[in-house]
Amino acid sequence: MRDLGTGFGYLAKGQRWVAGHGRWLGFGLIPGLITLLLYAAALTGLALGADDLIAWATPFADDWSSPWIGLFRGFLTVLLFVLGLFLAVITFTAVTLLVGQPFYESLSEQVDKSESPDGSAPESGLPLMRELWISARDSLRILVRAVVWAVLLFFLGFIPVLGQTVVPAIGFCVTGFFLAQELTSVALQRRRVEVREQLALLRANRMMTWGFGVPLALSFLIPFVAVFLMPGAVAGATLMVRDLRGENELPPRQPNPQGVQGQAPGPYGQPHKPGQPPQAQHPQQPQHPQPPHPQHPQPLRNNPYAK
């Protein structure tokens, strides 16, 4: 049964996988560090300029008396920064995946090879620039959906009581779902699965998706944690994709009465080895009929010599 625990289990398995493959852990940290620097600069600029932005957006409150103007604009400033932080959490993975597309493609492919019985991994067969274009296009589509949800939850946050209890919980569920989609898209794009099919697959396994994405969204609120969890998150998402597509289930071995590679079985039921001529079976020795034992002729009744 695919439930919350199953999704969290794949998140933990991904972290254990990269921990056991230290080279891939360091390899996967590079895109996250680059994206973290970009987002840190953007959030710092938002924090420094939020007061001026709110004052510019609310000229009607200039004539309000103190302390109402300070409380009103202070509340909007905090709300604006929370909205920016919410968008940063949602889009961090998408931007990191876009920046580190070659890095995470190689990481996901290596996870597939380690889990495949024959050591192979699915390949899209597309050129690198085409893959980058598809990744950017799909990330933009997901970003638009995430912004719509962010704006909706922003206004729902003004509802008393519900805005401080239910709405944040819904926000983390939405964030976790989009995080899971962005991470699984690395493995699904190599399997030529379009973004609509990706969303439909995750919606059909919503509990498992939340179990994977919501803990990750909560951990992303802690500074620098997202950078170190990203390689393991990509590995865990690849493992989850293999489960969702049934690739971990091996088909039962069917008996082959024709021997190996469709060849006829050799003598005594043993198959011929490839590249070797079949061994001739020993012909059965013909059995010579034994001559019948001579029988004494029966005496004739009219034989004058019979005694």
Side-chain angles (χ1 to χ4, degrees):
M1 181 179 179
R2 293 167 177 168
D3 52 9
L4 294 173
T6 305
F8 182 77
Y10 279 115
L11 180 61
K13 288 179 181 178
Q15 302 301 326
R16 289 198 297 268
W17 191 95
V18 295
H21 301 76
R23 182 173 67 90
W24 290 100
L25 174 61
F27 187 73
L29 289 177
I30 298 175
L33 291 173
I34 296 174
T35 309
L36 179 64
L37 294 177
L38 296 176
Y39 271 77
L43 290 175
T44 301
L46 178 62
L48 295 177
D51 293 336
D52 296 335
L53 182 60
I54 292 298
W56 172 82
T58 57
F60 57 86
D62 291 341
D63 298 332
W64 290 13
S65 61
S66 180
W68 302 113
I69 185 174
L71 292 175
F72 176 71
R73 287 181 171 173
F75 172 75
L76 291 181
T77 301
V78 173
L79 202 59
L80 177 63
F81 186 79
V82 171
L83 176 62
L85 186 62
F86 177 74
L87 288 175
V89 172
I90 289 180
T91 60
F92 179 86
T93 304
V95 175
T96 305
L97 292 176
L98 184 61
V99 173
Q101 179 74 14
F103 296 87
Y104 294 134
E105 281 284 346
S106 300
L107 173 60
S108 177
E109 185 177 353
Q110 188 64 32
V111 174
D112 267 324
K113 289 181 179 179
S114 67
E115 295 296 317
S116 177
D118 57 357
S120 62
E123 296 181 0
S124 64
L126 299 175
L128 177 59
M129 295 306 298
R130 178 64 177 171
E131 290 184 352
L132 291 176
W133 162 249
I134 294 176
S135 178
R137 181 197 64 188
D138 292 347
S139 297
L140 182 60
R141 291 177 179 176
I142 298 300
L143 179 60
V144 171
R145 295 171 183 262
V147 169
V148 172
W149 272 100
V151 173
L152 177 62
L153 294 174
F154 174 78
F155 287 106
L156 291 177
F158 289 99
I159 301 176
V161 182
L162 293 178
Q164 293 75 44
T165 55
V166 178
V167 173
I170 296 176
F172 279 113
C173 291
V174 172
T175 305
F177 183 88
F178 283 123
L179 283 177
Q181 190 280 328
E182 291 162 357
L183 289 166
T184 53
S185 66
V186 178
L188 290 173
Q189 283 178 4
R190 284 192 294 107
R191 291 162 170 82
R192 306 292 291 271
V193 180
E194 295 292 335
V195 64
R196 292 182 180 179
E197 299 176 15
Q198 297 176 18
L199 293 173
L201 181 63
L202 296 180
R203 289 194 191 104
N205 299 272
R206 189 173 282 108
M207 298 300 292
M208 182 179 181
T209 305
W210 282 339
F212 182 88
V214 172
L216 195 62
L218 292 172
S219 64
F220 276 15
L221 296 177
I222 305 174
F224 304 107
V225 170
V227 177
F228 293 97
L229 292 183
M230 274 297 294
V234 173
T238 304
L239 296 173
M240 189 167 70
V241 165
R242 295 183 60 86
D243 181 12
L244 291 175
R245 292 179 58 84
E247 296 176 7
N248 292 331
E249 301 175 2
L250 297 178
R253 179 177 294 179
Q254 299 293 336
N256 186 3
Q258 298 298 325
V260 180
Q261 297 183 357
Q263 298 178 0
Y268 313 111
Q270 298 296 328
H272 302 307
K273 295 183 180 180
Q276 295 184 1
Q279 299 178 4
Q281 299 187 12
H282 299 287
Q284 296 182 354
Q285 298 293 333
Q287 297 181 358
H288 300 286
Q290 298 294 332
H293 296 287
Q295 298 180 358
H296 300 284
Q298 297 293 335
L300 299 175
R301 292 180 180 179
N302 298 325
N303 188 354
Y305 299 100
K307 294 183 181 181

